[in-house]
Amino acid sequence: MAETGTTFAADGAEKQFRDGLNRGEFNIQQCASCKKHVFYPRTLCTNCGSPKLVWKRAAGTGTVYSTSTERYKPEAGGDKNIAVVQLDEGPRMLTRITDIAPADVKIGMRVTAHIGEADGIKLIYFRKA
Ligand SMILES: [Zn+2]
């Protein structure tokens, strides 16, 4: 079967990110023109529109920007945190803070990334630094 995904540039950036995750890497893009970091994966810089986006290993450190609790029944695993984390490189990402009670996650809390899995898909999660 021919690989058709490469003809869609947007799928290409997403696929490269997912391939990195499957290798245990948390990668984000940096614009070679304006030096801004970009996340979620894109084909054009969100700041200056340049197509010169280069993959870099993320530091994996950041700060909780906003937080809330998703309510689930105990048999469904109980309540879960959902948060926006501002990476030290600048971009914000929607994620979960794990290994802590959802209500104990505070705005401004320092966090570090780890790779988790949900429904067989690798995802970037964070825990308290
Ligand atoms: Zn740029």
Side-chain angles (χ1 to χ4, degrees), residues 10 31 50 52 54 66 76-77 80 83 88 114 123-124:
C31 178
S50 168
K52 294 177 194 159
V54 179
S66 70
K80 292 187 173 78
D88 287 346
H114 64 100
L123 296 166
I124 301 291

Side-chain angles (χ1 to χ4, degrees), residues 30-36 38 44-50 52-53:
Q30 184 177 24
C31 178
S33 297
C34 73
K35 304 302 179 196
K36 276 259 200 176
V38 175
L44 299 176
C45 175
T46 51
N47 186 53
C48 75
S50 168
K52 294 177 194 159
L53 296 176

Side-chain angles (χ1 to χ4, degrees), residues 53-117:
L53 296 176
V54 179
W55 288 101
K56 305 263 179 180
R57 193 70 63 91
T61 51
T63 304
V64 175
Y65 178 80
S66 70
T67 179
S68 63
T69 300
E70 287 184 316
R71 303 286 176 194
Y72 290 96
K73 292 178 177 169
E75 57 269 31
D79 292 349
K80 292 187 173 78
N81 168 267
I82 186 158
V84 175
V85 166
Q86 178 144 25
L87 301 175
D88 287 346
E89 289 91 343
R92 292 175 188 154
M93 61 186 295
L94 190 65
T95 183
R96 291 190 195 284
I97 313 300
T98 65
D99 307 309
I100 185 171
D104 290 341
V105 177
K106 303 297 180 199
I107 290 169
M109 179 183 282
R110 293 289 296 163
V111 290
T112 56
H114 64 100
I115 296 175
E117 199 171 312

